[in-house]
Amino acid sequence: MPTYSSDIIPFFHRMYLQLTLVLSISLGIIQAVDRSNFKTCEQSAFCSRQRALRPGQSSYRALLDTLELSDSRLTLQLLNNNNKVRLLLELYRLQGNITRVKINELKPIKPRYEVPDVLITDPPTEPMSVVAQDERGVVLSLGGVDRRLYVNAQPFRLDIMEGPKLVLSINSRGLLAFEQLRMRKDTISHKITSTVGSMWDKIKNLGVALPSKAFIILFSPSPILPTLHLTPLTLQASEGEEQEMEVDQPGMWEETFKSHVDSKPNGPSSISLDFSLPGVEHVYGIPEHADSLRLKNTDGGDPYRLYNLDVFQYELFNPMALYGAVPVLLSHNTHRTTGLFWLNAAETWVDISSGQVGLCGRTDGSGEVPQTDVRWISESGIIDVFIMLGPRPADVFSQYASLTGTQAFPPLSSLAYHQSRWNYNDQEDVAAVDRGFDEHDIPYDFIWLDIEHTDGKRYFTWDKNNFPQPKDMLQGLMDKRRKMVTIVDPHIKVDSSYKIHSEIRSRGYYVKNKDGGDYEGWCWPGNAGYPDFTNPEMRTWWASMFAYDQYEGSMENLYTWNDMNEPSVFNGPEVTMLKDALHGPWEHRDVHNLYGLYVQMATAEGQIRRSGGLERPFVLSRSFFAGSQRYGAVWTGDNSAEWGHLKMSIPMCLSLGLVGISFCGADVGGFFKTPGTELLVRWYQAGAYQPFFRAHAHLDTPRREPWLFGPDNTALIREAVRQRYALLPYWYLQFYQAHRTGQPVMRPLWVEYPEDVTTFTIDDGYLIGRDLLVHPVTDEGSRGVTVYLPGNGEVWYDVHTFQRHDGALHLHIPVTMSTIPVFQRGGSIICRKNRIRRSSSCMENDPFTLYVALDPQGNAEGELYVDDGHTFKHETDRQFIHRRLRFTSNTLSSSDLSPDSQFPTASWVEKVVILGAQEPKAVTLTSSGGGESSVEFEFDPVTLVLTLRKPDVNAGVDWTLQLQ
């Protein structure tokens, strides 16, 4: 069993998480999370309050006489008929078929939070024009001859039309709700009594006739009204309108959950808006949830919750919040894919009613058209939503990427295998594990150290007893072209002798409590402070700590893992930070879901800066938000060694890919509990075909290195890992394309087959890029799986047997423990490196084997991408190779897709395997210089596989292979 510094770790769990999760070091007992420690909608005051509003006619109307149209936007005031509060509606037509809708208070008594740093730029706009207008509303052009935005005045409603078809409707169910910021009633009464006092009598003594609604001067030192205001008692009411005081409800000004009190000094501030999608039955996205890929109806249950939380051994098929939150939802039917991006970082709930005929429902003469209604509810901030109108799945991905950026292009080695554990004991333990991989001929690239490697949970340090010479350890790995990851969490031990803490405190960079002191909570080190990563100065300072002269013992092959960055606070409400903590002028409730993104952002910047801007970073983060894809990888958190968790890893990563985060994986074998050997082997087989491939385990579980389960299981694990390494060129190409275009690496079948309704609910099989279909075995004792191969008129090839199968059918496959069902699409060319070495860097100059899978017409296409695998020179100096591989008319050719780039490579084409081929009489290679030579070949008439041996042509030049 690995050692650790103190029994206080499980003590923190018992005493400060206040969960019934039991971590017994002596017995190794781990129980599931206590669901009662996390809120339901009913226990969340604002969610309960908003959800109590039922669909009906909206209380808002658009004041058409306030309409203003400029080159970049349209503004219009909305009036609440009940309380006379005015809102400001802003409409933008953005480039790329995106519409932006913003709603804020017209005259808030203080600014409301608007999310910064997520959009990569101020989205470029395109002109809008008024097509028609009357007393009922306004019609705006969204480009093209038939794309229109209808603004209905009373009740207020927005409809996006394409010709006669309604694409999407906003507020059709009348659920727009906007709790305006206001003073607390007892505060107003107190101000009137204490500051006006005898003023009222003095005014009356002047003999002035008083109106029914008197004007009062309010002097307030409170943060809600920090300046002098001349305000009527009716607050925001405009001339001729009387605004009624809002009726206070429980939880508006103070809320208690268990023993924690949220003081809510700004009062109620929640927002809500509904969207209706006629003709839609399938919606996806809004990760992170341990649930099916297709989002379910929430009628009668809790909405999906988006609120980053540290949830140990989370439940499956539950809409409860997990570690990350990406407020992006995709809808899809056979005609169109659309996306909704709700840009709000506060706690958010999403209600879904799918498959029902609603207020937008239409009939086509043959029956009712189904409809999905989506309602977003957030605790604070403004309504800022981007409607991505597709119409194809690829269009929505590009549209979202244009807003928040694409997946960071990772170092090639980070796509290989990672070996991790909480914790490897010391330097000798690390060296022994490293030797074990070599002795058992299993490749790996990264070994990971968890919190026990530090000096008493002081991050950026090393335990001097167990890791006295970290540079020697790192150099030993570097000599084998391997790397290490150490954990750096964002909770900082409160210790005056700890440099990191002292500097953060002296600079004033900690999050503050509501009284202005440094916020402190309990986490792994004990009492800890939490850096305010929303502060750009704090992020810059944090990045500087990764410099080699600051992070003692670090080297260029040391990378970083950001855990616990939801942020996790063991003694906080729901294991996180109090909402009334302060980040400068903003409450934590406003920024909560951004915290993890900012931690990863600053850490990635630190890795880049330490290399002088040359090297690409690798940072793994547990918490994330929209835009996190720009900074590294994520994983599905503290899963369990159960078959259900293995199965759930697929839809969880698919959901993340749909919203831009392609670099996703699940801990192989499960973090909690001890997997049986069958489960462990199947998890390795599944993990080898997921973007991020790491094995990790809890410190209470037995050691789990791949060779500890007998020679047969070691061989099965070895084969799975070797398959991953052979496919690294393909994985690297997919990440290059994701970085350039925003298309997901791991994607649902419907993304490539959008008209095939059979694919719409499949989440046990998936595509890697366009060309590999994977269906891992995820059921205990399975003797067979049924795989759906999409594509009417297409063919698929088993990558192991080369057997050909027709598309658009369900295929039953008998399986043994060695089976990993993977298929290559007919019409594709995939490059592999079949000389597997101890690390990916050792394979840098090894040759390629091309697998050419012919479609029914005898054609195929693919690409090859090569660069140095770790620097930004592919961007700064255009040092890369990008080639098109094409087979047509019995000729295979390689041509340059980027003539203005260059990169020398020693790799060559060693072999070409053509599936679905016919036997040629001869094969001739024509090189870039025009020379010709014969190529050896072998044909198998049973499998119809043609193998061309040793064409020995450089991978970076033009060539053709002619089959005669």
Side-chain angles (χ1 to χ4, degrees), residues 86-98:
R86 292 193 181 205
L87 305 178
L88 179 65
L89 168 70
E90 299 175 68
L91 299 175
Y92 300 82
R93 175 189 168 203
L94 304 182
Q95 289 182 8
N97 204 16
I98 305 171

Side-chain angles (χ1 to χ4, degrees), residues 824-835:
Q824 182 173 343
R825 184 181 61 84
S828 67
I829 301 175
I830 290 178
C831 302
R832 299 175 182 246
K833 285 192 172 183
N834 289 333
R835 299 188 185 185

